[in-house]
Amino acid sequence: MTSKPRKQIHLAAHFPGVNNTTVWADPASKSQVEFASFEHLARTAERGLFDFFFLAEGLRLREHLGRVHDLDVVGRPDTFTVLNAVAAVTERLGLAGTINSTYNEPFELAKQFAALDHLSGGRAAWNVVTSSDAFTGENFRRGGYLEHGARYQRAAEVVEATRKLWDSWPTDALVIDRTRGVFAREIPETSYRSPQFDIRSPFVVPPSPQRHPVLLQAGDSDEGREFGAKTADAIFTAHGTLEAGQRFYADIKGRLAKYGRTPEELLVFPAATFVLGDSAAEAHERARHIRYQQVSPATAIAFLEQVWGRELSGYDPDGPLPDVEPDPATEITRGRVRHTKDPLAVARAWRERAEADDLSIRELVIEVTARQQFVGTPAEVADQIDHYVQSDAADGFILVPHLTPGGLDEFVDKVVPELQDRGSFRTAYTGTTLRDHLGLRHPRHRTVTEGARAS
C-alpha cells in the first residue's frame, strides 16, 4: 500500500506587537516601535527559512475604563512603512501586512501592495480584515456603520476591484524601445462598478512579480469562511487544538469546490505559541511562568471587567469570581475585545468551569485566554507541530513569540533543525517569491473585461 506523502510544514513569524501574548514587562523585551526590533525578528525568520513575516495592525488604541489599555500604549506603526523597510534587509522572506478593507479604497490598496511586491521582488501578502466597530470608525470618514454582512460585501468588492487593477496591464505592456522612443504599449482603462465603487482609470503600476500579492483572511464566521474559501490564498485561524483544527480544516477545504478551487489552493495557518526546555518538566514550568507574566493580577481583573461590564478592582484576582451578575448594557472597553457574546451566558459558563476546577479569577482568565501552545523539548515540539500538519489540522503555523524581538531565536536554532531531520521542512528556499514558498500558482493575466461587473 502506498503511504501518504509527507506534507511540508509552512511557518510564519508574527511580530508580537500589541496583544495579550506579549510580555512587555520582561527585562528581555525590547522596543515594539524601533526598526531594530522588526529587523531582528525578520532576519531570524529568514534564517529559519520561514515563509513569511506577519504584521498585525490596529487602527485605534483600545480604552478600558476611560484610559488607554496598557498593551496599546506602545503604539502601532504603519504597516506599509514597516514592511517596505523590512524588504530592504531581507531577501526571500514573505512580507504579510494586515490592512482593513472597511476603511481603505481599492485603488490605493492596489497601488500600495503592487509597490511592496515590486520593491521586495515578489514577497508581498495582504491579510484582509474587516471592521464594524463604530469606535474605530470614528477615525475615518466612512465610520463604523457597516453591519457584519455588509462589511464582507464591501471586502469582496474591494478585493475584486484590486485584482481587476492588478490584472489591467498586459504582461508585455512594457516595450522600452529606446530606438523608436516607445516605452509602453497602450494601457487599457480599468472600469469597475459595484454598489460601493466606481473606478475608471488606467492603473499606475506595471505588473508586479506575483501580479497578485498573496491574500490572507482571518474571519471565522460563516460569512468569513465563505469569503476566505472564495477569495483567500491562506487562512489565519485561532482553531488551535487538534480536533478543532481538523474540523475547521475539513470545513474550509470542503467549501472550495463550489468556487472551482482545489484544496491545495488554500492554506490553513492557526496561530500558536511555543515554550522550549531541556526537559518536558522544565518547559512546562517555563510555560506556567510565562502565562502568569501574560496575565498579571491587574490584567485578570481588567479582562473580567470586559465581560462583567462593571468596575471590579475591589475583587481579589486570586479569589473566586464576583458574586454579582454582569451588566450587559455597560461598555467597559472600547475597541477590540475578545468576548462579544451574551455576557450572562459567558459568565454562567465561566462560573461552572471555575467551580468544577476550583479556579481563582486569575487562574480562570489564564485558562480561557490560552491559545494553541506547543510545550516541550525541541524534539517534542517538532513532533507536535509535525503531527498537527500530517493529521490535516493545519498546513502550518503563524508563530507568536512572547518576547519582542528575540522570542523566535530559540525556535529557529533548535526546532527548525528537528523539523528538517524529519523531512517535513525545507533546508533551503527553492524560489524567490512568496507564492513559490507556499506552493501557490502565479495568477494568469486576465483581460480587463474578464469577470467584469455589468455597469
Side-chain angles (χ1 to χ4, degrees):
M1 184 175 71
T2 303
S3 61
K4 183 180 178 181
R6 176 166 290 276
K7 291 172 63 178
Q8 292 297 293
I9 295 168
H10 295 284
L11 294 174
H14 189 303
F15 186 81
V18 286
N19 59 55
N20 68 327
T21 301
T22 305
V23 182
W24 59 264
D26 191 293
S29 180
K30 306 299 181 184
S31 172
Q32 297 183 54
V33 294
E34 292 178 3
F35 181 64
S37 291
F38 296 102
E39 181 179 13
H40 182 107
L41 185 72
R43 285 185 182 274
T44 302
E46 186 163 75
R47 178 165 59 84
L49 305 174
F50 277 40
D51 292 278
F52 59 92
F53 171 94
F54 183 91
L55 191 62
E57 183 177 68
L59 299 177
R60 183 159 183 173
L61 299 181
R62 287 168 291 180
E63 295 178 7
H64 184 73
L65 290 172
R67 64 181 295 272
V68 173
H69 194 280
D70 282 345
L71 283 178
D72 280 25
V73 172
V74 297
R76 297 172 179 267
D78 176 69
T79 297
F80 283 110
T81 303
V82 172
L83 292 183
N84 279 295
V86 169
V89 296
T90 55
E91 295 180 358
R92 298 291 184 91
L93 185 68
L95 306 168
T98 302
I99 298 293
N100 198 297
S101 62
T102 305
Y103 305 119
N104 290 285
E105 297 299 307
F107 190 91
E108 182 179 35
L109 290 172
K111 180 181 178 182
Q112 289 170 315
F113 276 108
L116 175 61
D117 207 47
H118 272 292
L119 293 175
S120 65
R123 297 185 280 140
W126 173 17
N127 181 38
V128 184
V129 296
T130 66
S131 176
S132 59
D133 177 12
F135 176 69
T136 300
E138 290 174 359
N139 283 337
F140 299 89
R141 176 181 61 82
R142 180 167 300 283
Y145 65 88
L146 292 180
E147 296 298 330
H148 193 275
R151 60 188 171 116
Y152 277 110
Q153 177 60 38
R154 177 180 167 85
E157 293 176 23
V158 169
V159 170
E160 189 175 39
T162 55
R163 283 178 164 166
K164 191 87 175 292
L165 290 161
W166 291 328
D167 273 335
S168 61
W169 284 55
T171 303
D172 60 352
L174 294 182
V175 177
I176 315 180
D177 187 329
R178 293 174 174 83
T179 301
R180 293 188 297 128
V182 178
F183 185 80
R185 303 182 196 281
E186 182 179 352
I187 307 303
E189 179 182 85
T190 300
S191 177
Y192 179 85
R193 294 187 66 186
S194 72
Q196 300 199 58
F197 303 109
D198 187 357
I199 300 171
R200 297 174 184 274
S201 173
F203 191 43
V204 295
V205 183
S208 68
Q210 296 185 114
R211 186 173 282 276
H212 291 190
V214 171
L215 292 187
L216 292 88
Q217 193 267 339
D220 190 44
S221 64
D222 188 67
E223 295 97 328
R225 294 186 187 202
E226 283 297 316
F227 177 68
K230 180 180 180 181
T231 304
D233 298 304
I235 297 284
F236 181 25
T237 172
H239 294 274
T241 67
L242 182 67
E243 295 76 14
Q246 288 173 325
R247 287 193 298 271
F248 179 84
Y249 191 94
D251 177 80
I252 199 72
K253 299 271 186 172
R255 297 174 187 242
L256 296 171
K258 73 177 75 172
Y259 301 111
R261 306 182 69 193
T262 66
E264 295 73 29
E265 293 180 75
L266 180 67
L267 303 178
V268 176
F269 282 90
T273 62
F274 61 89
V275 181
L276 304 177
D278 291 333
S279 67
E282 178 187 341
H284 282 279
E285 180 55 36
R286 285 186 66 189
R288 180 180 181 277
H289 173 69
I290 290 167
R291 288 300 288 139
Y292 273 83
Q293 285 183 299
Q294 291 168 330
V295 184
S296 67
T299 297
I301 293 297
F303 191 86
L304 204 69
E305 288 171 337
Q306 292 180 8
V307 175
W308 255 252
R310 298 177 183 274
E311 196 274 327
L312 301 173
S313 61
Y315 286 85
D316 180 3
D318 294 317
L321 289 177
D323 51 6
V324 297
E325 292 301 312
D327 178 4
T330 302
E331 184 180 52
I332 289 289
T333 302
R334 305 180 73 199
R336 181 179 179 272
V337 296
R338 294 188 59 169
H339 293 283
T340 58
K341 300 176 182 177
D342 175 9
L344 294 172
V346 172
R348 282 195 300 272
W350 286 7
R351 287 190 197 282
E352 292 173 2
R353 186 168 181 175
E355 291 173 5
D357 297 334
D358 192 24
L359 301 176
S360 68
I361 291 174
R362 190 179 184 191
E363 290 169 336
L364 176 72
V365 172
I366 286 173
E367 292 290 326
V368 300
T369 60
R371 66 171 74 207
Q372 173 57 42
Q373 189 173 43
F374 297 113
V375 180
T377 65
E380 289 171 336
V381 167
D383 282 339
Q384 294 165 28
I385 291 174
D386 198 30
H387 179 59
Y388 270 66
V389 173
Q390 305 309 328
S391 301
D392 288 341
D395 292 306
F397 289 91
I398 296 181
L399 298 179
V400 190
H402 72 282
L403 290 178
T404 305
L408 192 65
D409 296 16
E410 193 176 22
F411 186 96
V412 166
D413 293 337
K414 298 180 178 180
V415 180
V416 166
E418 294 281 352
L419 294 173
Q420 292 170 331
D421 288 345
R422 288 158 176 75
S424 300
F425 191 69
R426 64 171 65 92
T427 56
Y429 288 117
T430 56
T432 59
T433 71
L434 179 53
R435 287 185 175 274
D436 292 336
H437 303 342
L438 297 175
L440 299 170
R441 66 176 179 82
H442 284 242
R444 68 181 181 87
H445 172 247
R446 299 182 301 168
T447 67
V448 293
T449 56
E450 280 188 271
R453 291 186 172 219
S455 296

